[in-house]
Amino acid sequence: MEKRPCRIAILGAGGLGKAAARFISLKREMRLVAICDQGGYAYSEKGLDGQEIYQIKPQGSVADLFSGGVHCPDSIGEIIALGKSIDGIFVALPNLPNDFIAKIIERFIDAGYSGVFTDALKRTRAMEQMFQLDRGLKEVRSTYITGAGATPGLLTAAAVLAAQSFQQVEEVKIWWGVGVSSWQDYKATIREDIAHLPGYTVETAKALTDQEVEALLDAREGRLEFQEMEHADDLLLERVGVVDSRNKVIVGGIMDTRSSKKPVTTTMTLTGITLSGQKSTHRFVLGDETTMADNVVGPALGYLKRAWWLRDKAIYGVYGSTEFMPMIVR
Amino acid sequence: MEKRPCRIAILGAGGLGKAAARFISLKREMRLVAICDQGGYAYSEKGLDGQEIYQIKPQGSVADLFSGGVHCPDSIGEIIALGKSIDGIFVALPNLPNDFIAKIIERFIDAGYSGVFTDALKRTRAMEQMFQLDRGLKEVRSTYITGAGATPGLLTAAAVLAAQSFQQVEEVKIWWGVGVSSWQDYKATIREDIAHLPGYTVETAKALTDQEVEALLDAREGRLEFQEMEHADDLLLERVGVVDSRNKVIVGGIMDTRSSKKPVTTTMTLTGITLSGQKSTHRFVLGDETTMADNVVGPALGYLKRAWWLRDKAIYGVYGSTEFMPMIVR
């Protein structure tokens, strides 16, 4: 990755995909060569303009971009066809339904695509499907790091570090605050979040019209509070042995859809028992001025570079964002 | 490491080495088979009693242990001779002089020892010498993770995670508190710390008699305060690109040698600039009830298991404790 820029494609051009385009445009080690959404895709061997992509309105499509935009019915298929020109992929697609991302990655595997991937996947059941792809990805010599955003991702990795000081972990609590000035910028993310509210399911949340989402937000003055969300932090921490049961990982938070100011400070709190039997707590606290994009896209690209490092060493397959820390010794 | 316990040797039986013995005795994935100090060594294929080692008085030697203790003039040489029976080594030796640990590891390389190592090395100049051993360790197929304690180690790794959210890191500040009920339990560590005080050097601190150390501590009511210490966190964070200059990493702290209560809360504070130009700060905060041993030995063993994983994948050489996180994309 040091010699020539890593050629990156972004799948999805919602709030996260667009933010990633902007981030990549500032990195000399990465070049954004492709991006797609439901309406089409854009490709340029020399690199797409991340700032231009960032400015596309929520209802717009990357197919309309000045340079390289193409309307088509199957934009994922077009990206797969460009596979030999793409080194790494950031998956910024919706988690809904739970098998949505896994089925798309299967298409890459079936086409024999060999490269690296990260995603910012959140739901536990969606991530379970990703780990099913391990054998297929190994066969095509691809390396995939899942749950590489903020939570799971940055905060979950911090929990693995925090766990090092303890003989036993009693609880990992992640409490996040997100503020966005307009929910329209994060339509898919917010529908995914609504699915966590009492009375909603993945299916009913996905089926909500924009007007219905707005009515729901109006009734709550733009704020959504989530308790005990189904978040794959639990799976990732159980997988590496930080907790012996997923129930010990608790994720919740507050999203304000009408102000970019965070309603609460995002904090990972790990409580454990030390060798001498003391109960204590380590914390990882994110600065309020950092945005969701900073805390999701930054780590996702950092893990993408790590995935490239792993692939270079012939380490293929699916890994969680918690799997390259110091390990838990049992 | 899952199938049979990893057979561990500890080099050094001061406060840290003894604590590590106790930690390992609680782990089914690791078995302490050897430990040494200046007076001799102890070895048992079936495993040494970590609790017994932990209770050796400061002036005692592992050579006096009931089972397996042997007096000898060159205990390191004896451990090297046992090399085929040792999978992993935790280096809990003094950093003083700066080339002390590097010269010992060279002996392992010269003898063709192949295995894994971690250390809790602190000084920048001492760590620089470790990275010189990269080629030699690769030749014997050994994997060494340096700076794998608390700082550098746990807190430095947390800085790598924190850096993911920022486009540019302005400062990493590590401010630690350590409380020990008796300085006699950490004679080497405290001499190393004294070397950081104004008016002392590595050489003069090492030459202090116990009485001189006690007089120094008496004059300060048992408390030592350190500003801008030479700590290898700077080298490790520069190496992975978290900072562009070592000057941006500042390490200091307060050690109370007369109370196990921490005089200040240990905190890593990373200040950076986000994509939108905002200055913000992420923090990693350690619980006051966790001891120096918890925060040094826990990570050192976690990194030892990671080193084993790396070696199993034919990844040999010297790495810093910051090198298996998500990477910094430039």
Side-chain angles (χ1 to χ4, degrees):
Chain A
M1 196 177 271
E2 292 294 331
K3 285 159 196 173
R4 67 165 171 78
C6 190
R7 298 165 302 171
I8 307 290
I10 301 172
L11 308 186
L16 213 52
K18 277 187 264 187
R22 197 175 165 208
F23 274 68
I24 292 170
S25 69
L26 299 172
K27 302 295 182 188
R28 66 173 187 270
E29 291 184 333
M30 292 185 173
R31 177 187 294 161
L32 180 66
V33 296
I35 186 166
C36 68
D37 58 24
Q38 287 182 328
Y41 73 102
Y43 171 75
S44 165
E45 188 186 339
K46 291 184 179 164
L48 296 165
D49 181 346
Q51 295 292 344
E52 189 194 358
I53 293 163
Y54 187 69
Q55 282 154 20
I56 297 174
K57 296 221 167 75
Q59 60 274 24
S61 166
V62 294
D64 297 317
L65 286 173
F66 285 121
S67 52
V70 178
H71 287 267
C72 65
D74 176 23
S75 60
I76 296 288
E78 302 293 334
I79 299 289
I80 291 171
L82 290 165
K84 291 228 180 298
S85 306
I86 295 167
D87 302 310
I89 294 172
F90 173 45
V91 183
L93 295 166
N95 289 213
L96 305 183
N98 279 325
D99 62 357
F100 185 69
I101 294 178
K103 284 197 169 160
I104 285 172
I105 303 308
E106 267 179 15
R107 292 184 63 188
F108 279 86
I109 295 170
D110 291 346
Y113 173 75
S114 184
V116 297
F117 299 84
T118 55
D119 65 37
L121 205 138
K122 288 194 285 190
R123 286 188 169 266
T124 306
R125 282 171 292 176
M127 192 176 290
E128 279 169 347
Q129 306 216 13
M130 298 314 299
F131 284 110
Q132 303 294 327
L133 303 176
D134 186 58
R135 180 188 288 190
L137 285 162
K138 281 190 165 76
E139 280 170 7
V140 294
R141 301 189 175 189
S142 282
T143 306
Y144 194 116
I145 300 181
T146 186
T151 166
L154 184 60
L155 295 166
T156 337
V160 180
L161 289 181
Q164 300 294 321
S165 303
F166 298 96
Q167 297 301 310
Q168 198 189 321
V169 173
E170 291 200 330
E171 185 185 270
V172 177
K173 185 170 181 183
I174 290 171
W175 185 244
W176 53 258
V178 167
V180 292
S181 48
S182 162
W183 83 273
Q184 300 266 355
D185 292 339
Y186 288 95
K187 285 183 171 191
T189 300
I190 284 165
R191 279 193 176 78
E192 284 173 28
D193 286 338
I194 288 171
H196 292 281
L197 293 175
Y200 290 90
T201 67
V202 165
E203 290 70 28
T204 58
K206 188 170 162 30
L208 290 173
T209 64
D210 281 10
Q211 287 73 21
E212 285 168 334
V213 171
E214 268 173 20
L216 184 153
L217 292 173
D218 278 343
R220 295 159 194 257
E221 292 176 337
R223 281 196 178 204
L224 301 173
E225 179 164 342
F226 305 94
Q227 298 282 352
E228 304 203 15
M229 302 174 82
E230 182 201 335
H231 246 238
D233 306 83
D234 59 357
L235 185 164
L236 289 176
L237 292 173
E238 185 189 54
R239 201 174 149 86
V240 295
V242 166
V243 292
D244 54 17
S245 156
R246 294 188 193 179
N247 298 332
K248 292 182 178 172
V249 181
I250 297 165
V251 181
I254 301 179
M255 169 169 277
D256 191 333
T257 60
R258 293 180 182 174
S259 163
S260 56
K261 193 167 180 298
K262 285 190 189 182
V264 292
T265 295
T266 299
T267 304
M268 185 290 299
T269 306
L270 181 142
T271 302
I273 305 293
T274 69
L275 187 81
S276 58
Q278 294 275 311
K279 184 184 287 206
S280 193
T281 290
H282 285 358
R283 286 178 298 133
F284 187 64
V285 186
L286 303 190
D288 284 345
E289 301 81 5
T290 57
T291 63
M292 177 164 76
D294 293 323
N295 295 318
V296 172
V297 177
L301 300 182
Y303 277 111
L304 199 59
K305 185 171 169 184
R306 174 61 62 201
W308 190 255
W309 183 95
L310 290 163
R311 184 173 177 276
D312 189 51
K313 300 198 157 31
I315 299 172
Y316 310 118
V318 185
Y319 298 89
S321 53
T322 47
E323 292 183 49
F324 305 99
M325 306 285 126
M327 297 176 86
I328 301 300
V329 184
R330 293 175 180 91
Chain B
M1 198 177 272
E2 293 294 327
K3 285 159 195 170
R4 66 165 170 79
C6 190
R7 298 164 303 172
I8 308 290
I10 300 172
L11 308 187
L16 214 52
K18 277 187 263 187
R22 196 175 168 210
F23 273 70
I24 293 170
S25 69
L26 299 172
K27 303 294 182 188
R28 66 173 188 273
E29 291 183 333
M30 291 184 173
R31 177 188 294 161
L32 180 66
V33 295
I35 186 166
C36 68
D37 57 25
Q38 287 182 328
Y41 73 102
Y43 172 74
S44 166
E45 189 187 339
K46 291 183 178 163
L48 297 166
D49 181 346
Q51 295 291 342
E52 190 195 354
I53 294 164
Y54 187 70
Q55 283 153 21
I56 296 173
K57 297 220 167 75
Q59 60 276 26
S61 166
V62 295
D64 297 317
L65 286 172
F66 286 121
S67 52
V70 179
H71 289 266
C72 66
D74 176 23
S75 60
I76 295 287
E78 301 294 334
I79 299 289
I80 291 171
L82 289 165
K84 291 225 180 298
S85 307
I86 295 166
D87 302 310
I89 293 172
F90 173 45
V91 183
L93 294 167
N95 290 214
L96 305 182
N98 279 325
D99 62 356
F100 186 68
I101 294 178
K103 283 198 169 159
I104 285 172
I105 303 309
E106 266 179 15
R107 291 184 64 188
F108 279 86
I109 295 170
D110 290 344
Y113 173 75
S114 184
V116 297
F117 300 83
T118 56
D119 66 37
L121 205 137
K122 287 194 284 189
R123 285 188 171 267
T124 306
R125 282 170 294 175
M127 192 175 289
E128 279 169 349
Q129 306 216 12
M130 298 315 299
F131 284 110
Q132 304 292 330
L133 303 175
D134 185 59
R135 181 188 287 191
L137 286 162
K138 280 190 166 77
E139 280 170 7
V140 294
R141 301 190 175 190
S142 282
T143 306
Y144 193 116
I145 300 181
T146 185
T151 168
L154 184 59
L155 295 166
T156 337
V160 181
L161 289 181
Q164 300 294 320
S165 303
F166 299 96
Q167 297 302 310
Q168 197 189 321
V169 172
E170 290 200 332
E171 185 185 90
V172 176
K173 184 170 181 184
I174 290 171
W175 185 243
W176 54 258
V178 167
V180 293
S181 49
S182 163
W183 84 272
Q184 300 267 354
D185 291 341
Y186 289 94
K187 286 183 172 191
T189 300
I190 283 165
R191 278 193 178 79
E192 285 173 28
D193 287 338
I194 288 171
H196 292 281
L197 291 175
Y200 290 90
T201 66
V202 165
E203 291 70 29
T204 58
K206 189 169 163 23
L208 290 172
T209 65
D210 281 10
Q211 288 71 21
E212 286 167 333
V213 172
E214 268 171 20
L216 185 152
L217 291 174
D218 278 344
R220 294 159 195 255
E221 292 177 338
R223 282 197 176 200
L224 301 173
E225 179 164 342
F226 304 94
Q227 300 283 353
E228 306 203 12
M229 303 174 81
E230 182 201 336
H231 246 237
D233 306 83
D234 60 357
L235 186 164
L236 289 176
L237 291 174
E238 185 189 53
R239 201 174 148 86
V240 295
V242 166
V243 291
D244 53 19
S245 156
R246 294 188 193 179
N247 297 334
K248 293 183 177 172
V249 181
I250 297 165
V251 180
I254 301 178
M255 168 168 279
D256 191 334
T257 59
R258 293 179 182 176
S259 163
S260 56
K261 193 167 179 297
K262 286 191 190 183
V264 292
T265 296
T266 299
T267 305
M268 185 291 299
T269 306
L270 181 143
T271 302
I273 306 293
T274 68
L275 186 81
S276 57
Q278 294 274 310
K279 184 184 285 207
S280 193
T281 290
H282 285 358
R283 285 177 298 133
F284 188 65
V285 186
L286 304 190
D288 283 345
E289 301 81 4
T290 58
T291 64
M292 178 165 74
D294 294 323
N295 295 320
V296 171
V297 177
L301 300 181
Y303 277 111
L304 199 59
K305 185 171 169 184
R306 173 60 62 200
W308 190 256
W309 183 94
L310 290 163
R311 183 173 178 276
D312 189 52
K313 300 199 158 31
I315 298 172
Y316 310 118
V318 185
Y319 298 89
S321 54
T322 46
E323 294 184 48
F324 305 98
M325 307 283 125
M327 298 176 85
I328 301 299
V329 184
R330 293 175 181 92

